[in-house]
Amino acid sequence: MAQLKTKRSCKLLCQTNSPSCKLSCSHLFQPLLSIILVSSIASSAVAETETGVLTITDANWTVTMDGEWMIKFVAPWCPACAQLKEQWERFSSLAAAMGVSVGEVDVTEQPGLSGRFLVTTLPTIFHVKEGSVRRYVSVREAEEFHTYVSNRRWEEVEPLPSWKSPTSPLMSCMAGLFRLSLWIRWTHGYLTGDLGMSVWGSYLSFAMATLVTGLLMGLVLVLVADCLCPSRQKRKEERAGVCVSMAEKRQASEADEGEGSNKEEPETLRQRRGQAKRTS
């Protein structure tokens, strides 16, 4: 009854727009809001410390290349991923004693990582040891995860080759392609939803953008190829110019030799005449 009277009195004061109502209402609701905010933060912090599962994103994935990790790739709409959640949280509590970090990647929020690790099925689990990545293909239970790490069963599994490693340039390109696909999907939703464009209009916009981008990239490739590998006609012209220059040099050298022989010829004639006179 007392609370009901307080609410009614507060409502009555608010109808009169008195400053005391604003002050009293603010004093009533501010502590309540602060309590709710603190409790929500505390509950999220407790949930994070209880599970011990770290969220891996595009911004911090490089930390998984140091130390020993078990990482799973999941999606909210995947039933098998939901069934694995309890076992994964149990394993994270066991892994803490072994010094093994346990991570989780949501492929719907981090498409770049799904491309970097080349994830094609869900859920997918990887074991990472000092940058060496191996795919886990055994039973998906907490005890099996623990045995896999503690007994070093991962040594029996062939690691991913260097060109498929998450740090390789090829996988970096794959990550960029997966991010591009997410951007295209977001742009399509923006055009059809926020701007009210028809679906076919959105498709036509992407087709024109793809065509223009392809033409520009083709032009750049042609220019680069022409600089690095000239065409046959250009090579023929260059060879013809080289032959002409060599012929001109040869003619000039022959002309120089002819002039030298003409200068030496009178001297030989004089020597012959002198010899003839001596013999006579």
Side-chain angles (χ1 to χ4, degrees):
M1 291 293 294
Q3 292 180 354
L4 183 61
K5 290 180 180 180
T6 305
K7 291 182 179 178
R8 287 179 179 176
S9 61
C10 183
K11 184 176 180 181
L12 183 62
L13 288 172
C14 289
Q15 289 177 354
T16 58
N17 295 326
S18 63
S20 62
C21 169
K22 297 179 182 179
L23 184 61
S24 61
C25 289
S26 63
H27 282 297
L28 285 173
F29 288 109
Q30 280 181 358
L32 180 62
L33 292 174
S34 62
I35 292 171
I36 294 173
L37 181 60
V38 170
S39 62
S40 63
I41 294 173
S43 63
S44 63
V46 169
E48 184 177 356
T49 53
E50 285 181 354
T51 59
V53 179
L54 303 176
T55 301
I56 308 301
T57 64
D58 281 321
N60 64 359
W61 74 270
T62 53
V63 299
T64 62
M65 297 294 106
D66 296 329
E68 190 170 6
W69 286 77
M70 288 287 284
I71 309 170
K72 72 168 182 175
F73 288 76
V74 295
W77 45 262
C78 174
C81 301
Q83 295 176 1
L84 178 61
K85 182 178 181 181
E86 183 180 355
Q87 297 292 331
W88 196 250
E89 291 178 355
R90 284 180 55 196
F91 169 65
S92 65
S93 61
L94 298 174
M98 299 185 296
V100 178
S101 302
V102 180
E104 180 180 273
V105 179
D106 186 351
V107 297
T108 59
E109 296 181 359
Q110 307 296 331
L113 287 180
S114 60
R116 188 177 293 277
F117 283 81
L118 205 61
V119 175
T120 56
T121 58
L122 293 175
T124 299
I125 301 174
F126 288 101
H127 174 268
V128 184
K129 177 71 172 179
E130 300 297 340
S132 182
V133 183
R134 294 171 174 85
R135 186 168 181 172
Y136 178 84
V137 291
S138 186
V139 181
R140 298 168 185 167
E141 293 182 357
E143 290 75 13
E144 288 294 328
F145 297 147
H146 182 271
T147 304
Y148 181 83
V149 176
S150 60
N151 295 346
R152 301 177 69 90
R153 289 184 181 175
W154 48 267
E155 293 180 347
E156 302 173 2
V157 181
E158 191 71 21
L160 296 179
S162 58
W163 64 272
K164 289 182 69 175
S165 174
T167 57
S168 66
L170 180 60
M171 292 300 103
S172 298
C173 294
M174 288 295 296
L177 289 176
F178 274 64
R179 291 194 204 98
L180 179 62
S181 65
L182 180 65
W183 179 83
I184 291 174
R185 185 173 61 182
W186 178 87
T187 305
H188 175 72
Y190 175 75
L191 293 177
T192 56
D194 296 349
L195 299 183
M197 184 182 294
S198 64
V199 176
W200 288 106
S202 176
Y203 291 162
L204 182 61
S205 301
F206 281 113
M208 293 299 296
T210 304
L211 181 62
V212 172
T213 304
L215 290 174
L216 292 176
M217 292 181 65
L219 179 61
V220 172
L221 289 175
V222 168
L223 293 175
V224 171
D226 188 54
C227 293
L228 297 177
C229 302
S231 60
R232 293 183 178 180
Q233 184 65 27
K234 191 173 182 179
R235 287 200 296 263
K236 288 180 180 179
E237 293 177 356
E238 291 178 354
R239 290 176 182 175
V242 172
C243 293
V244 170
S245 62
M246 291 178 64
E248 291 178 351
K249 290 180 180 178
R250 189 180 299 170
Q251 291 178 359
S253 62
E254 290 178 353
D256 293 338
E257 291 177 356
E259 291 178 357
S261 62
N262 292 333
K263 291 179 180 179
E264 292 176 356
E265 188 175 358
E267 294 179 359
T268 55
L269 290 175
R270 292 195 192 95
Q271 291 177 358
R272 290 177 181 176
R273 289 175 182 174
Q275 291 177 358
K277 288 179 181 180
R278 290 172 186 171
T279 54
S280 60

